[in-house]
Each structure stands twice: as C-alpha cells, then as structure tokens.
Amino acid sequence: MRYVAIASLLMIGLTSQALGQTSPVPANDAVTASRADMRELIEATQAVAKASRENVDHARVVPDLLYQILTKLDKIEDKLDKVETTLKATQAAAARKR
C-alpha cells in the first residue's frame, strides 16, 4: 500500500511538471541563414573538429615517444654504471696484486 501511494505521488509530480511546460516562444530577432552560410558553418566546424583530432593524436604520441627515449636513457645509464663498477673492481684487484 505504501509503495502504491509513493508511486502515485511520484507520477502526479512528474505529470504536473510535464503539463506545466509550454512550447518555446520563437525569438523576434531570429536570423535567417542562407544555404551558403550554413555550408560555411558546417565546413568551419569540420575543420575545427579535424584540427582538434590532430591535436589529440599529437598529444598522445609525444608523451609516448618521450617515455621511450627516457627508458632507453635509463638503460644506457645502468649499463654505464655496471661498466664503471667493473672497471673499479678490476683496478682495485690489480692494485692489490702489485
């Protein structure tokens, strides 16, 4: 019984809102556009969309390339550290043998 009452109140509330709405009033200063104007607007919108898409693609690629470069530099640095450690160890061993 409680659910029926809640559902009916909800339904009444929604329908009263829908009935209270009126159709929009057309603006008196509405601009009439020709087909050529509409075509220009569509082409401009398409150009903006294309530029935005290229910008997003560029933004995705650049960090990936930078990440790859930094990873390679880290690997090179690790290898240089190993070589340096090995050189120090062999120099220390050669100094002890003398």
Side-chain angles (χ1 to χ4, degrees):
M1 181 70 176
R2 181 181 299 159
Y3 295 115
V4 174
I6 292 173
S8 62
L9 285 175
L10 183 64
M11 188 61 115
I12 290 171
L14 292 175
T15 54
S16 65
Q17 288 291 326
L19 292 175
Q21 293 179 352
T22 60
S23 62
V25 178
N28 291 336
D29 57 345
V31 178
T32 57
S34 66
R35 287 187 180 264
D37 292 338
M38 292 305 250
R39 172 58 43 199
E40 288 177 12
L41 287 173
I42 290 171
E43 289 173 358
T45 304
Q46 289 172 343
V48 168
K50 182 180 178 183
S52 298
R53 194 175 317 117
E54 289 174 357
N55 189 19
V56 168
D57 290 341
H58 178 73
R60 286 182 187 155
V61 170
V62 170
D64 188 42
L65 290 174
L66 291 175
Y67 178 76
Q68 290 176 3
I69 291 169
L70 288 174
T71 302
K72 295 221 184 259
L73 287 174
D74 286 341
K75 288 179 182 179
I76 291 171
E77 186 178 1
D78 289 342
K79 288 181 181 181
L80 287 174
D81 287 341
K82 288 179 184 178
V83 168
E84 186 177 323
T85 304
T86 305
L87 284 174
K88 286 182 182 179
T90 54
Q91 287 175 353
R96 287 185 207 140
K97 288 183 181 180
R98 290 185 192 169

